[in-house]
Amino acid sequence: MNIEELREYCLRHPLVEEGFPFGPDTLVFKVKGKIFLLTGLDNDPLQFNVKCDPEKAEALREQHSCVLPGYHMNKKHWNTVVVDGSVPNRLLKEWITDSYNLVAKIKK
C-alpha cells in the first residue's frame, strides 16, 4: 500500500473528509468531524495512526511487529502501523475500516 492507495481507500468510506489541520506534512482523515486516520507525508516507509479497541490494540502489537503504540496519540486507543510489507493490504484495510467504524460509531 502506498499513500495514494491509502488515501483512495479512506475516501471510499461515507462522510469522510481529508485535510491538513496540523500542517502541510500530516494528512488527516475525519468522519463526523473526528479523526480516524492520520499519516505523515514524509514517512518512508509509509506509516499511519488508526484508532483501535484497547484490547485489540495490544493484541495487534503483540502479533505484528509493524504495529506500535500510537505515535503522538493516546497509546491505549491508537496504533501506529508501519507499512513495511509484513502484513497484507487486506489487514491494513481491515484496521483502517475498524478505526473508521469506531469513530463513526458504526457497528459490524
Side-chain angles (χ1 to χ4, degrees), residues 18-47:
E18 65 179 323
F20 294 89
F22 305 119
D25 298 327
T26 304
L27 179 57
V28 174
F29 294 92
K30 295 181 180 183
V31 59
K32 298 183 179 177
K34 296 180 183 178
I35 296 171
F36 73 93
L37 184 143
L38 61 151
T39 184
L41 297 179
D42 295 333
N43 294 328
D44 187 22
L46 174 65
Q47 59 187 22

Side-chain angles (χ1 to χ4, degrees), residues 51-66:
K51 194 162 189 178
C52 193
D53 171 80
E55 289 179 17
K56 185 174 181 180
E58 285 192 31
L60 290 174
R61 292 174 201 159
E62 291 172 7
Q63 295 168 4
H64 304 283
S65 62
C66 67

